[in-house]
Amino acid sequence: MPPEEDKNTPVIQSIDEPQKTEHPPRQGNDTQDGKEGRRPEDAPPPVLETAEEKPPREGGDGGKGTRPPLKNGLPPMSRWQYGFWLFILILIPLFAVLRSKDSADTEVLTQKAFEDKLRNGRIVELTTVVNSDGIVRVKGVFIPDGSTPDIQRKFQSKVIYSDALDELIRDHCSDYSASSEGSSFMQIVMMLLPTVLLIAFFYFIFIRQMRSGGNAMSFGKSRARREDPDDNHPITFKDVAGCDEAKEDMRELVDYLKDPAAFGRLGGRIPRGVLLVGPPGTGKTLLAKAIAGEAKVPFFSISGSDFVEMFVGVGAARVRDMFEEGKKSAPCIIFIDEIDAVGRSRFSGIGGGHDEREQTLNALLVEMDGFGTNQGVVVMAATNRADILDPALLRPGRFDRQVYVGLPDIRGREEILKIHAKNKPLAEDVELSTVAKGTPGFTGADLENLCNEAALLAARRGSKLITMSDFSEAEIKVIAGPEKKSRVVSEHERKLTAYHEAGHAIVMHALPTHDPVHQITIVPRGGAGGMTISLPTEDRSYQSKRYMEEQIVSLLGGRVAEKLMLGDISTGASNDIQRASQIARKMVTVYGMSERLGSISFESGHDEIFIGRSMAQAKPYSEQVAAQIDEEVKSIVDAAYERCEDILMRDQAHLIAVAEFLLAHETMSAEEFEAVFTPQNTESDKI
């Protein structure tokens, strides 16, 4: 069965921009699996925890009155303290750099070389430091051999003191000075100063941590954020729409959290863990928050990536600490978002091993269903990659129940739009049911983004109300991206784009099962030079073989129109050809729609690019079958190409009419497109 999220996506036939032919740009018609970059969730901003006001403690600060409240577990520092330690942190590396630069420019001489340069008059400046053991440290400036007096270098050396050496120095060096052993002490102090300051800095941090009652080495403390039921604006089921079945599955969980004893009297056990699975943006995190708000219990939320650190054992320690905090607040909910970051399968093969992640996963497995008991602690997690989770995590006793949060249907989309448009001033002509019909395949996050874009467009016009035209423009903007009206396009490119998009539209109109044309434009949007948008009139749960074949035919309409009308082809159809090839290959290898190969699946069912399994496992078919698959894919695409060519040759007059309209007006609506077809030609259009 095709995945549900691939059924109802608005179809966009577009021509790629000429300057970006080597790397086809991402189109706005990507399926819901690829909309990860729009909005993470259709949720309002989370309700942040506010610390409860505590009465100040009397005394305890040397009789100076009440102690100031702690901020983030630490006593506050004054401005001069922050400034002092900031100055120290800047001074230490600066001092180290200067010392290293100074030592790099200084040459070390032996005693013989030093005496030779004295006799030859190459020593320009000299300073001696006499030690108690008779060793003299000398430093100064000399002229290198073979160099002119204007080229000088620093030097240092250690020599044995004698009267002869002293006489030699006084006779051959005019710029001479001597110092006592006290200078050596200052050098030792300067050498040790950075180390002392660094130790003092870390000691200061340690003392502050200990005084605040914390642990200076608190790497293993949980980073879970807590939201209490007495927050001002708790999220409940009325804030969640478009997933009625998922809410019904969660109601018994809410009843358990409200009254755990009622289930225990009947010998029942509530699921220890609930895994929310679904495409990005469908409201998994929002649903988990609504359960906590309905049950009025504490809600601990954390991301899977917060467990994994560079230090070994930190993730496991954080898992244990998180469950300890949960036990103290039971009954409660612990929610782990994007659990696939830490719960990925341990048997993934090459490149899949990670000791720190596996230790964290092992700790999570033990805490959920190990020797300990977590009465009243319900674990919830969310992911859109349930296929790569470890099997031990999905067994009964850990995540007992999987709840699928899929794409909303037309009624669900209308309810979601009502929630997001609740605080927005709408004009009288706005019909949210009409907007819901025109947004099949949209997630809750997409619909929230749609309402926001409509509000921004209205504000840009200076209007106080959001009109239906704002929603229509925002819909196209969310699907395809903003218009690039300022881009200079040559007349040849405009003509090529017009015929390309007209070819898509004419073929769509001629196909019986294809979705109707919604808009045609040759104005560049996003990464496309032009596009033809078709919107489904109803939600689909399945795709038939005929429907998928006609999808391929419509995708090839642009390429065929270019060849037919201009006598040449361009790179603008690269994305169309790629998508047509993908559909044809899935028909053969996944859906079993090939008469030659039969109802056999030739894929493993995993869509991951690489987690090790794809390299460790061989293909489930031979090279001979692989050649047959390629032949079947080619035959499907070739048949679609011939059908597309037949349609456009029969309806060449309408093709030219649509292209000329686009060259004159740049954008063509659905009503204007239908007006091109005369009543007498309507019957012969369907082939």
Side-chain angles (χ1 to χ4, degrees), residues 5 32-33 41 275-284 338 382-386 403-407 443:
E5 54 270 24
Q32 285 67 38
D33 294 347
E41 296 292 338
L275 182 65
L276 302 176
V277 184
T282 52
K284 299 182 293 292
E338 305 297 341
T383 181
N384 52 8
R385 298 297 308 275
V403 178
Y404 184 77
V405 186
L407 300 175
T443 64

PDB file of all heavy atoms in Angstrom, residues 5 32-33 41 275-284 338 382-386 403-407 443:
ATOM      1  N   GLU A   5       0.969   9.533   3.257  1.00  0.00           N
ATOM      2  CA  GLU A   5       1.345  10.910   3.057  1.00  0.00           C
ATOM      3  C   GLU A   5       1.691  11.235   1.609  1.00  0.00           C
ATOM      4  O   GLU A   5       1.959  12.391   1.277  1.00  0.00           O
ATOM      5  CB  GLU A   5       2.514  11.293   3.959  1.00  0.00           C
ATOM      6  CG  GLU A   5       3.732  10.416   3.853  1.00  0.00           C
ATOM      7  CD  GLU A   5       3.700   9.271   4.818  1.00  0.00           C
ATOM      8  OE1 GLU A   5       2.626   8.884   5.236  1.00  0.00           O
ATOM      9  OE2 GLU A   5       4.725   8.748   5.165  1.00  0.00           O
ATOM     10  N   GLN A  32       4.773  15.213   1.732  1.00  0.00           N
ATOM     11  CA  GLN A  32       4.832  15.641   3.131  1.00  0.00           C
ATOM     12  C   GLN A  32       6.051  15.109   3.841  1.00  0.00           C
ATOM     13  O   GLN A  32       6.470  15.627   4.854  1.00  0.00           O
ATOM     14  CB  GLN A  32       3.567  15.190   3.874  1.00  0.00           C
ATOM     15  CG  GLN A  32       2.372  16.027   3.520  1.00  0.00           C
ATOM     16  CD  GLN A  32       1.946  15.830   2.072  1.00  0.00           C
ATOM     17  OE1 GLN A  32       1.981  14.770   1.532  1.00  0.00           O
ATOM     18  NE2 GLN A  32       1.584  16.870   1.459  1.00  0.00           N
ATOM     19  N   ASP A  33       6.612  13.995   3.309  1.00  0.00           N
ATOM     20  CA  ASP A  33       7.802  13.465   3.945  1.00  0.00           C
ATOM     21  C   ASP A  33       8.959  14.435   3.861  1.00  0.00           C
ATOM     22  O   ASP A  33       9.893  14.359   4.628  1.00  0.00           O
ATOM     23  CB  ASP A  33       8.206  12.148   3.274  1.00  0.00           C
ATOM     24  CG  ASP A  33       7.197  11.072   3.492  1.00  0.00           C
ATOM     25  OD1 ASP A  33       6.338  11.232   4.319  1.00  0.00           O
ATOM     26  OD2 ASP A  33       7.285  10.091   2.854  1.00  0.00           O
ATOM     27  N   GLU A  41       6.317  21.918  14.229  1.00  0.00           N
ATOM     28  CA  GLU A  41       5.064  21.411  14.736  1.00  0.00           C
ATOM     29  C   GLU A  41       3.999  22.485  14.623  1.00  0.00           C
ATOM     30  O   GLU A  41       4.290  23.668  14.536  1.00  0.00           O
ATOM     31  CB  GLU A  41       5.181  20.971  16.219  1.00  0.00           C
ATOM     32  CG  GLU A  41       6.121  19.807  16.475  1.00  0.00           C
ATOM     33  CD  GLU A  41       5.608  18.520  15.908  1.00  0.00           C
ATOM     34  OE1 GLU A  41       4.429  18.425  15.704  1.00  0.00           O
ATOM     35  OE2 GLU A  41       6.368  17.639  15.659  1.00  0.00           O
ATOM     36  N   LEU A 275       4.422   5.412  21.782  1.00  0.00           N
ATOM     37  CA  LEU A 275       5.247   5.965  20.712  1.00  0.00           C
ATOM     38  C   LEU A 275       4.348   6.621  19.679  1.00  0.00           C
ATOM     39  O   LEU A 275       3.496   5.981  19.074  1.00  0.00           O
ATOM     40  CB  LEU A 275       6.096   4.873  20.063  1.00  0.00           C
ATOM     41  CG  LEU A 275       7.056   5.323  18.953  1.00  0.00           C
ATOM     42  CD1 LEU A 275       8.124   6.254  19.525  1.00  0.00           C
ATOM     43  CD2 LEU A 275       7.704   4.123  18.284  1.00  0.00           C
ATOM     44  N   LEU A 276       4.541   7.921  19.480  1.00  0.00           N
ATOM     45  CA  LEU A 276       3.792   8.677  18.478  1.00  0.00           C
ATOM     46  C   LEU A 276       4.591   8.684  17.180  1.00  0.00           C
ATOM     47  O   LEU A 276       5.729   9.159  17.140  1.00  0.00           O
ATOM     48  CB  LEU A 276       3.538  10.106  18.965  1.00  0.00           C
ATOM     49  CG  LEU A 276       2.778  10.239  20.291  1.00  0.00           C
ATOM     50  CD1 LEU A 276       2.676  11.703  20.703  1.00  0.00           C
ATOM     51  CD2 LEU A 276       1.395   9.619  20.192  1.00  0.00           C
ATOM     52  N   VAL A 277       4.009   8.161  16.131  1.00  0.00           N
ATOM     53  CA  VAL A 277       4.667   8.017  14.835  1.00  0.00           C
ATOM     54  C   VAL A 277       3.884   8.790  13.793  1.00  0.00           C
ATOM     55  O   VAL A 277       2.645   8.763  13.789  1.00  0.00           O
ATOM     56  CB  VAL A 277       4.779   6.533  14.431  1.00  0.00           C
ATOM     57  CG1 VAL A 277       5.550   6.393  13.125  1.00  0.00           C
ATOM     58  CG2 VAL A 277       5.445   5.719  15.527  1.00  0.00           C
ATOM     59  N   GLY A 278       4.586   9.467  12.910  1.00  0.00           N
ATOM     60  CA  GLY A 278       3.918  10.189  11.840  1.00  0.00           C
ATOM     61  C   GLY A 278       4.852  11.153  11.150  1.00  0.00           C
ATOM     62  O   GLY A 278       5.981  11.399  11.614  1.00  0.00           O
ATOM     63  N   PRO A 279       4.429  11.713  10.022  1.00  0.00           N
ATOM     64  CA  PRO A 279       5.260  12.667   9.285  1.00  0.00           C
ATOM     65  C   PRO A 279       5.551  13.913  10.108  1.00  0.00           C
ATOM     66  O   PRO A 279       4.842  14.211  11.083  1.00  0.00           O
ATOM     67  CB  PRO A 279       4.391  13.011   8.048  1.00  0.00           C
ATOM     68  CG  PRO A 279       3.371  11.942   7.970  1.00  0.00           C
ATOM     69  CD  PRO A 279       3.133  11.453   9.363  1.00  0.00           C
ATOM     70  N   PRO A 280       6.581  14.665   9.758  1.00  0.00           N
ATOM     71  CA  PRO A 280       6.882  15.905  10.482  1.00  0.00           C
ATOM     72  C   PRO A 280       5.759  16.914  10.351  1.00  0.00           C
ATOM     73  O   PRO A 280       5.168  17.079   9.280  1.00  0.00           O
ATOM     74  CB  PRO A 280       8.163  16.406   9.797  1.00  0.00           C
ATOM     75  CG  PRO A 280       8.730  15.229   9.098  1.00  0.00           C
ATOM     76  CD  PRO A 280       7.590  14.356   8.732  1.00  0.00           C
ATOM     77  N   GLY A 281       5.471  17.595  11.446  1.00  0.00           N
ATOM     78  CA  GLY A 281       4.490  18.671  11.424  1.00  0.00           C
ATOM     79  C   GLY A 281       3.062  18.257  11.649  1.00  0.00           C
ATOM     80  O   GLY A 281       2.156  19.086  11.519  1.00  0.00           O
ATOM     81  N   THR A 282       2.796  17.003  12.000  1.00  0.00           N
ATOM     82  CA  THR A 282       1.422  16.540  12.180  1.00  0.00           C
ATOM     83  C   THR A 282       0.902  16.751  13.594  1.00  0.00           C
ATOM     84  O   THR A 282      -0.267  16.461  13.857  1.00  0.00           O
ATOM     85  CB  THR A 282       1.303  15.053  11.805  1.00  0.00           C
ATOM     86  OG1 THR A 282       2.305  14.296  12.497  1.00  0.00           O
ATOM     87  CG2 THR A 282       1.489  14.871  10.308  1.00  0.00           C
ATOM     88  N   GLY A 283       1.724  17.217  14.522  1.00  0.00           N
ATOM     89  CA  GLY A 283       1.245  17.555  15.864  1.00  0.00           C
ATOM     90  C   GLY A 283       1.528  16.523  16.920  1.00  0.00           C
ATOM     91  O   GLY A 283       0.779  16.415  17.889  1.00  0.00           O
ATOM     92  N   LYS A 284       2.609  15.757  16.790  1.00  0.00           N
ATOM     93  CA  LYS A 284       2.919  14.722  17.780  1.00  0.00           C
ATOM     94  C   LYS A 284       3.293  15.337  19.124  1.00  0.00           C
ATOM     95  O   LYS A 284       2.803  14.914  20.176  1.00  0.00           O
ATOM     96  CB  LYS A 284       4.054  13.835  17.247  1.00  0.00           C
ATOM     97  CG  LYS A 284       3.728  13.112  15.957  1.00  0.00           C
ATOM     98  CD  LYS A 284       4.840  12.207  15.484  1.00  0.00           C
ATOM     99  CE  LYS A 284       6.046  13.014  15.062  1.00  0.00           C
ATOM    100  NZ  LYS A 284       5.794  13.827  13.830  1.00  0.00           N
ATOM    101  N   GLU A 338      12.000  13.189  19.091  1.00  0.00           N
ATOM    102  CA  GLU A 338      13.010  12.674  18.157  1.00  0.00           C
ATOM    103  C   GLU A 338      13.843  11.591  18.829  1.00  0.00           C
ATOM    104  O   GLU A 338      15.060  11.664  18.913  1.00  0.00           O
ATOM    105  CB  GLU A 338      13.898  13.804  17.632  1.00  0.00           C
ATOM    106  CG  GLU A 338      13.158  14.962  16.982  1.00  0.00           C
ATOM    107  CD  GLU A 338      12.391  14.549  15.733  1.00  0.00           C
ATOM    108  OE1 GLU A 338      12.692  13.490  15.159  1.00  0.00           O
ATOM    109  OE2 GLU A 338      11.453  15.293  15.320  1.00  0.00           O
ATOM    110  N   ALA A 382       8.266  10.588  20.366  1.00  0.00           N
ATOM    111  CA  ALA A 382       7.811  10.939  19.020  1.00  0.00           C
ATOM    112  C   ALA A 382       8.943  10.719  18.045  1.00  0.00           C
ATOM    113  O   ALA A 382      10.113  10.991  18.352  1.00  0.00           O
ATOM    114  CB  ALA A 382       7.327  12.390  18.968  1.00  0.00           C
ATOM    115  N   THR A 383       8.597  10.228  16.862  1.00  0.00           N
ATOM    116  CA  THR A 383       9.566  10.028  15.802  1.00  0.00           C
ATOM    117  C   THR A 383       8.848   9.913  14.476  1.00  0.00           C
ATOM    118  O   THR A 383       7.671   9.571  14.425  1.00  0.00           O
ATOM    119  CB  THR A 383      10.412   8.763  16.040  1.00  0.00           C
ATOM    120  OG1 THR A 383      11.372   8.623  14.989  1.00  0.00           O
ATOM    121  CG2 THR A 383       9.529   7.527  16.047  1.00  0.00           C
ATOM    122  N   ASN A 384       9.535  10.219  13.404  1.00  0.00           N
ATOM    123  CA  ASN A 384       9.033   9.967  12.055  1.00  0.00           C
ATOM    124  C   ASN A 384       9.840   8.886  11.351  1.00  0.00           C
ATOM    125  O   ASN A 384       9.715   8.697  10.155  1.00  0.00           O
ATOM    126  CB  ASN A 384       9.031  11.243  11.213  1.00  0.00           C
ATOM    127  CG  ASN A 384      10.366  11.958  11.213  1.00  0.00           C
ATOM    128  OD1 ASN A 384      11.376  11.462  11.714  1.00  0.00           O
ATOM    129  ND2 ASN A 384      10.405  13.132  10.648  1.00  0.00           N
ATOM    130  N   ARG A 385      10.669   8.181  12.108  1.00  0.00           N
ATOM    131  CA  ARG A 385      11.494   7.096  11.590  1.00  0.00           C
ATOM    132  C   ARG A 385      11.391   5.889  12.514  1.00  0.00           C
ATOM    133  O   ARG A 385      12.381   5.445  13.095  1.00  0.00           O
ATOM    134  CB  ARG A 385      12.949   7.543  11.450  1.00  0.00           C
ATOM    135  CG  ARG A 385      13.179   8.676  10.481  1.00  0.00           C
ATOM    136  CD  ARG A 385      12.799   8.263   9.048  1.00  0.00           C
ATOM    137  NE  ARG A 385      13.431   7.045   8.628  1.00  0.00           N
ATOM    138  CZ  ARG A 385      14.657   6.986   8.101  1.00  0.00           C
ATOM    139  NH1 ARG A 385      15.362   8.116   7.973  1.00  0.00           N
ATOM    140  NH2 ARG A 385      15.167   5.843   7.711  1.00  0.00           N
ATOM    141  N   ALA A 386      10.202   5.357  12.656  1.00  0.00           N
ATOM    142  CA  ALA A 386      10.018   4.197  13.530  1.00  0.00           C
ATOM    143  C   ALA A 386      10.711   2.960  12.988  1.00  0.00           C
ATOM    144  O   ALA A 386      11.001   2.030  13.739  1.00  0.00           O
ATOM    145  CB  ALA A 386       8.522   3.925  13.719  1.00  0.00           C
ATOM    146  N   VAL A 403       0.988   4.898  18.243  1.00  0.00           N
ATOM    147  CA  VAL A 403      -0.137   5.697  17.769  1.00  0.00           C
ATOM    148  C   VAL A 403       0.325   6.472  16.542  1.00  0.00           C
ATOM    149  O   VAL A 403       1.276   7.255  16.615  1.00  0.00           O
ATOM    150  CB  VAL A 403      -0.646   6.659  18.858  1.00  0.00           C
ATOM    151  CG1 VAL A 403      -1.789   7.510  18.320  1.00  0.00           C
ATOM    152  CG2 VAL A 403      -1.092   5.884  20.084  1.00  0.00           C
ATOM    153  N   TYR A 404      -0.352   6.249  15.424  1.00  0.00           N
ATOM    154  CA  TYR A 404       0.000   6.924  14.187  1.00  0.00           C
ATOM    155  C   TYR A 404      -0.738   8.255  14.093  1.00  0.00           C
ATOM    156  O   TYR A 404      -1.966   8.309  14.146  1.00  0.00           O
ATOM    157  CB  TYR A 404      -0.327   6.051  12.974  1.00  0.00           C
ATOM    158  CG  TYR A 404       0.096   6.662  11.657  1.00  0.00           C
ATOM    159  CD1 TYR A 404       1.429   6.650  11.262  1.00  0.00           C
ATOM    160  CD2 TYR A 404      -0.820   7.269  10.816  1.00  0.00           C
ATOM    161  CE1 TYR A 404       1.829   7.212  10.068  1.00  0.00           C
ATOM    162  CE2 TYR A 404      -0.434   7.836   9.614  1.00  0.00           C
ATOM    163  CZ  TYR A 404       0.894   7.806   9.241  1.00  0.00           C
ATOM    164  OH  TYR A 404       1.294   8.377   8.053  1.00  0.00           O
ATOM    165  N   VAL A 405       0.007   9.313  13.966  1.00  0.00           N
ATOM    166  CA  VAL A 405      -0.539  10.660  13.792  1.00  0.00           C
ATOM    167  C   VAL A 405      -0.268  11.057  12.346  1.00  0.00           C
ATOM    168  O   VAL A 405       0.815  11.514  12.002  1.00  0.00           O
ATOM    169  CB  VAL A 405       0.084  11.660  14.776  1.00  0.00           C
ATOM    170  CG1 VAL A 405      -0.605  13.013  14.660  1.00  0.00           C
ATOM    171  CG2 VAL A 405       0.001  11.139  16.204  1.00  0.00           C
ATOM    172  N   GLY A 406      -1.261  10.839  11.482  1.00  0.00           N
ATOM    173  CA  GLY A 406      -1.078  11.055  10.057  1.00  0.00           C
ATOM    174  C   GLY A 406      -1.534  12.423   9.598  1.00  0.00           C
ATOM    175  O   GLY A 406      -1.810  13.336  10.395  1.00  0.00           O
ATOM    176  N   LEU A 407      -1.605  12.562   8.297  1.00  0.00           N
ATOM    177  CA  LEU A 407      -2.024  13.814   7.688  1.00  0.00           C
ATOM    178  C   LEU A 407      -3.514  14.022   7.907  1.00  0.00           C
ATOM    179  O   LEU A 407      -4.302  13.068   7.822  1.00  0.00           O
ATOM    180  CB  LEU A 407      -1.717  13.806   6.193  1.00  0.00           C
ATOM    181  CG  LEU A 407      -0.243  13.639   5.807  1.00  0.00           C
ATOM    182  CD1 LEU A 407      -0.112  13.532   4.311  1.00  0.00           C
ATOM    183  CD2 LEU A 407       0.581  14.797   6.338  1.00  0.00           C
ATOM    184  N   THR A 443       0.135  19.435   6.335  1.00  0.00           N
ATOM    185  CA  THR A 443       0.183  19.067   7.743  1.00  0.00           C
ATOM    186  C   THR A 443      -0.319  20.226   8.599  1.00  0.00           C
ATOM    187  O   THR A 443      -0.592  21.324   8.099  1.00  0.00           O
ATOM    188  CB  THR A 443       1.616  18.698   8.153  1.00  0.00           C
ATOM    189  OG1 THR A 443       2.453  19.871   8.025  1.00  0.00           O
ATOM    190  CG2 THR A 443       2.164  17.596   7.268  1.00  0.00           C
TER     191      THR A 443
END
